[in-house]
Amino acid sequence: MTEAHNRVNSPRTKRVALAATSLLAAGTLLGTFAATDAAAAAPAPTSGKASGKVAGNNAGKPAAKAVPFTAASVTAGSTVGTLKVSWASSATHVSVYAGATADAQRTLVGSGAGTATLTVSGAHGNWVRLVPSTGAPLTLTIRDLDLASDPNLRDAGGYRTTDGHWVKMGAVYRSAALSLTPADAVVVNTFGITLDADLRTPDEVTAAADVVPIGAAWEELNISGTQGTGLPSGIDTEAAAEKMMQDGEVSMASSLNARTDFGKLLTQIAGSKGATLYHCSAGKDRTGWASALLLSLLGVSKSTVTEDYLLSNTYSFGSAATQSALKSIYDATYQAAIAKGATSADATAAAQNEEAVYTAFMKVETSYLDAGLDYVTAHFGTVENYATTPLAHGGLGLTRKNLTALRTRMLTS
């Protein structure tokens, strides 16, 4: 973002250049989607309901023990080298084991009551297995990977579903463009990623090619269906910018090209033997919609889906690079106004407006996600109905078999 800022001079050009590399290419999406939507069949409204159950997983088998945890998380502790582990469960006692991988947590690092928060040593690794006195264990790790070159790279799992399952961690990652430093690439190479699904346009890829994780296949899933990116002219107010972002979300839900590629992504996740990573440029708009679809289909509540979506404000918008870019935009706008003879008060007002417009582009808001989800609800009733509606009728084209495979792959038993 900072490099894009330094290559241009006018405040408006700065904003467009930064937007092209750090957020959803909303102008490109809107223009392309309008054309593809005209060719796609209109979806038929429906009032069907999703069951939220994993069909056929336990047919003919003894019932699996339920995971008794209603809440659980692992975060970095306040002291370097420690982990903060929290949980709530119906068990009377929980033992905490730690390890370096998702498959092995063998070292007992603590224990507590059915509901507790502990600070434990991270010396044995960041993967934690919570073993309750009754019920099935739960394995978790740190969601935020704290990578300097990709602060919005995080685990997409670790959420509880409305029917008591948990979304597995270590199976799917979401991120911004993989412009990784060598040190951060070493970390990402340990995740076992076998698919790097790039949701960007060819021009975005050319401008910042991925540092593809070792062992991963790179695949282009150009959600916008266009060569480049761009923003329409005339977006001069915060309200107009927010409306554009909302319209972009609806376009991702309705465009044939986007629906085709999001359907491919979900199908690939369902059939993957290794971990999948998907990303766009900033990891918040195209990537945010992909995560919203994935988590919704797995049975995660809308409130939790929204919470996950809004984390981009912490990891992307709140990053030092983004905040530095915003300050540069403010300063450049102020100085340009002064140079044209504006008073200090008028220059400040112009700078504040420019900052507000750009903030709307670089943040995510609940209203952005709601615009897409409201479209799905209005036309299909549920995300599951939307996902299983054929592409020709406005859906993602997944089959019931695809959904069962996705849930088997991504949910605790």
Side-chain angles (χ1 to χ4, degrees):
M1 288 180 292
T2 303
E3 291 179 357
H5 170 78
N6 289 336
R7 287 197 298 268
V8 290
N9 294 313
S10 72
R12 176 56 51 79
T13 305
K14 289 183 179 70
R15 191 176 76 212
V16 174
L18 282 167
T21 58
S22 65
L23 51 81
L24 166 69
T28 303
L29 291 172
L30 291 174
T32 304
F33 290 163
T36 56
D37 285 346
T46 177
S47 59
K49 297 180 179 179
S51 67
K53 297 180 180 178
V54 183
N57 277 355
N58 297 310
K61 299 179 182 179
K65 290 182 179 180
V67 175
F69 297 96
T70 56
S73 66
V74 179
T75 59
S78 58
T79 302
V80 175
T82 64
L83 302 174
K84 180 181 177 182
V85 185
S86 300
W87 66 86
S89 74
S90 58
T92 58
H93 183 270
V94 174
S95 297
V96 182
Y97 293 81
T101 70
D103 299 322
Q105 309 86 38
R106 298 188 177 92
T107 304
L108 179 66
V109 292
S111 63
T115 296
T117 296
L118 294 181
T119 297
V120 302
S121 171
H124 305 285
N126 292 336
W127 283 90
V128 168
R129 180 162 50 99
L130 302 176
V131 181
S133 54
T134 56
L138 176 64
T139 301
L140 300 170
T141 190
I142 295 175
R143 178 181 310 287
D144 168 27
L145 301 167
D146 195 27
L147 300 182
S149 59
D150 195 347
N152 208 15
L153 197 160
R154 60 190 197 262
D155 199 303
Y159 294 115
R160 188 175 186 267
T161 68
T162 56
D163 63 353
H165 291 88
W166 282 78
V167 181
K168 295 174 184 176
M169 303 192 81
V172 173
Y173 296 90
R174 52 172 294 174
S175 78
L178 292 180
S179 301
L180 301 171
T181 62
D184 286 347
V186 169
V187 175
V188 174
N189 286 338
T190 66
F191 297 161
I193 295 168
T194 55
L195 174 64
D196 169 11
D198 195 331
L199 311 183
R200 300 176 297 165
T201 67
D203 282 358
E204 288 177 292
V205 173
T206 299
D210 278 359
V211 177
V212 179
I214 293 175
W218 179 85
E219 180 172 2
E220 178 184 2
L221 294 175
N222 180 3
I223 296 301
S224 73
T226 62
Q227 178 68 28
T229 61
L231 291 170
S233 60
I235 306 298
D236 294 318
T237 67
E238 181 181 15
E242 290 178 345
K243 178 64 164 57
M244 190 179 73
M245 298 304 290
Q246 293 161 7
D247 290 346
E249 206 80 12
V250 173
S251 296
M252 283 192 287
S254 60
S255 123
L256 177 59
N257 188 86
R259 289 186 287 106
T260 299
D261 282 346
F262 282 126
K264 285 180 182 178
L265 174 62
L266 293 167
T267 300
Q268 289 170 325
I269 291 172
S272 177
K273 301 301 182 183
T276 298
L277 182 145
Y278 52 82
H279 72 88
C280 51
S281 286
K284 68 184 190 68
D285 297 306
R286 289 163 285 190
T287 298
W289 181 247
S291 283
L293 291 175
L294 173 64
L295 295 176
S296 296
L297 289 172
L298 294 177
V300 175
S301 69
K302 183 177 182 292
S303 62
T304 302
V305 170
T306 301
E307 177 185 324
D308 177 75
Y309 178 80
L310 293 175
L311 283 177
S312 285
N313 286 338
T314 299
Y315 302 130
S316 178
F317 182 74
S319 68
T322 299
Q323 291 305 306
S324 176
L326 279 174
K327 185 178 185 304
S328 295
I329 290 294
Y330 181 99
D331 291 345
T333 305
Y334 180 88
Q335 294 300 331
I338 291 294
K340 292 179 180 180
T343 66
S344 178
D346 286 345
T348 297
Q352 289 174 339
N353 182 71
E354 190 78 355
E355 183 181 49
V357 169
Y358 200 64
T359 293
F361 288 140
M362 298 190 74
K363 290 184 73 173
V364 289
E365 299 286 354
T366 301
S367 66
Y368 302 171
L369 178 61
D370 282 349
L373 293 177
D374 287 349
Y375 170 87
V376 169
T377 300
H379 291 286
F380 302 94
T382 67
V383 175
E384 181 165 324
N385 287 340
Y386 168 68
T388 55
T389 295
L391 286 167
H393 297 291
L396 299 182
L398 301 185
T399 65
R400 293 289 171 183
K401 184 177 180 180
N402 291 147
L403 288 187
T404 298
L406 183 66
R407 290 165 179 164
T408 300
R409 167 71 178 136
M410 291 299 301
L411 295 175
T412 58
S413 59

